Amino acid sequence: MAMPLQDKITNWLAALLTGQPPPSNIVAFNIGLYETPDGYCAYLSGATKFDASSDDWALEDAYSPSYREFLLPNNQLQVSSWQEALSQVHAALKAALSHSPLSNSVLAHAHAVTVGFDDGDLERVA
């Protein structure tokens, strides 16, 4: 049986935050998404500022851990559109942030956590 998306996202983010913790001046995080031939890919970045009125803060990329990308294979998401992929990742990320170990992480205490496709609008998760 395949591991649920929420668990995969939790494991990925927990490993990144433990292996390469962000500096203390990082106040907001973005889970960026883009499409690949094999599915969708997610990556984590962080910024030293957050502006709720503009998504430009996410371009700062002040925290960019190596090996930050995470493949979400087509057979895991089983979606027919990028909108469905975004919706599933948003829901899984929101659930992951409400459970340990992420509920006690810097992500849970950040000014904002967002998710979105590289050339689209960001959706606030937390």
Side-chain angles (χ1 to χ4, degrees):
M1 182 175 194
M3 182 184 295
L5 182 60
Q6 175 187 334
D7 293 344
K8 287 185 176 193
I9 287 175
T10 297
N11 292 345
W12 166 61
L13 290 172
L16 276 180
L17 296 173
T18 301
Q20 295 182 344
S24 61
N25 65 336
I26 301 300
V27 300
F29 295 89
N30 180 54
I31 307 297
L33 299 171
Y34 62 91
E35 197 166 359
T36 74
D38 298 320
Y40 295 91
C41 197
Y43 63 90
L44 176 66
S45 64
T48 59
K49 61 185 185 277
F50 171 72
D51 182 353
S53 65
S54 170
D55 290 343
D56 288 347
W57 66 268
L59 300 173
E60 180 186 347
D61 211 19
Y63 170 66
S64 179
S66 57
Y67 308 108
R68 68 183 182 158
E69 295 185 346
F70 177 67
L71 180 64
L72 303 161
N74 284 327
N75 63 358
Q76 172 71 44
L77 291 179
Q78 299 177 354
V79 296
S80 60
S81 70
W82 66 267
Q83 293 95 334
E84 289 178 12
L86 177 59
S87 177
Q88 284 189 25
V89 172
H90 184 132
L93 182 58
K94 187 170 188 74
L97 289 173
S98 68
H99 295 92
S100 184
L102 295 183
S103 61
N104 298 317
S105 72
V106 293
L107 290 174
H109 300 291
H111 291 311
V113 177
T114 61
V115 62
F117 278 89
D118 284 349
D119 291 327
D121 294 333
L122 301 181
E123 294 183 1
R124 193 155 180 185
V125 178

